[in-house]
Amino acid sequence: MAPSHVLRCCQRGLAWIPVIFIALVVCWSYYAYVVELCVFTVLSTTEQLVYLTFFHLSFIMFVWSYWKTIFTNPANPSKEFCLPKAEKERYEKEERPESQQEILWRAASNLPLYTRTGSGAIRYCDRCQVIKPDRCHHCSACDTCVLKMDHHCPW
Ligand SMILES: [Zn+2]
Ligand SMILES: [Zn+2]
């Protein structure tokens, strides 16, 4: 395996540490609430029932949302935002930024783009080789362009 490949695998493995930490905290809180509070401390059955029902309703919604958040892949820009093969080759060969921008302007003429860089240029990701749609940013942790990206959340 190439060293970069090994590094990538290690990074992926380490990325699970915060998630495992949260899962352990959740398990511990579940035990503290359900067993220690509801079973051993609260003695009235009606109170226990009310406490447990509300707790489990919120708990299920929390676990479901957390699960969806962890296992939903980030959305990437669609195919229309990739440069056609010929244009991509021209873009890579071109050294002057103005000519590169011309290629991008032509390719983006039919795309719904409203956001430009500070200098008025079309936003392009050299790593993913796509024109970045509005609100799309390259996530260095996921190493891909993510739509509507706000920040990479390790939790
Ligand atoms: Zn990310
Ligand atoms: Zn990217």
Side-chain angles (χ1 to χ4, degrees), residues 2-141:
S4 66
H5 219 84
V6 177
L7 194 75
R8 196 96 209 118
C9 279
C10 287
Q11 276 177 336
R12 283 218 182 128
L14 290 176
W16 284 100
I17 292 175
V19 176
I20 292 167
F21 174 74
I22 292 290
L24 290 175
V25 170
V26 169
C27 289
W28 177 82
S29 336
Y30 186 90
Y31 164 81
Y33 186 88
V34 173
V35 180
E36 293 297 328
L37 179 79
C38 295
V39 177
F40 292 134
T41 313
V42 177
L43 297 172
S44 129
T45 320
T46 332
E47 257 180 68
Q48 278 179 338
L49 262 177
V50 174
Y51 281 18
L52 287 172
T53 310
F54 280 105
F55 176 77
H56 280 96
L57 281 176
S58 339
F59 187 76
I60 289 166
M61 284 193 282
F62 165 76
V63 172
W64 179 68
S65 326
Y66 192 51
W67 183 274
K68 291 291 261 186
T69 310
I70 295 166
F71 293 105
T72 304
N73 284 323
N76 307 119
S78 59
K79 269 194 229 121
E80 300 111 69
F81 289 87
C82 299
L83 289 180
K85 201 165 176 275
E87 298 286 289
K88 200 187 278 180
E89 278 166 13
R90 278 187 51 217
Y91 180 91
E92 276 158 22
K93 274 189 210 138
E94 198 56 69
E95 274 163 17
R96 290 176 310 138
E98 311 88 65
S99 313
Q100 285 185 323
Q101 271 300 308
E102 256 171 52
I103 296 171
L104 293 183
W105 276 99
R106 223 170 307 131
S109 59
N110 292 323
L111 296 174
L113 290 177
Y114 298 97
T115 319
R116 303 274 182 267
T117 65
S119 57
I122 291 198
R123 303 184 318 129
Y124 183 74
C125 177
D126 287 305
R127 196 138 171 88
C128 308
Q129 302 184 313
V130 289
I131 293 170
K132 290 184 190 166
D134 298 332
R135 296 172 67 190
C136 173
H137 297 283
H138 186 86
C139 175
S140 50

Side-chain angles (χ1 to χ4, degrees), residues 74 139-144 146 149 151-153:
C139 175
S140 50
C142 303
D143 196 28
T144 183
V146 178
M149 167 149 171
H151 66 284
H152 178 87
C153 180

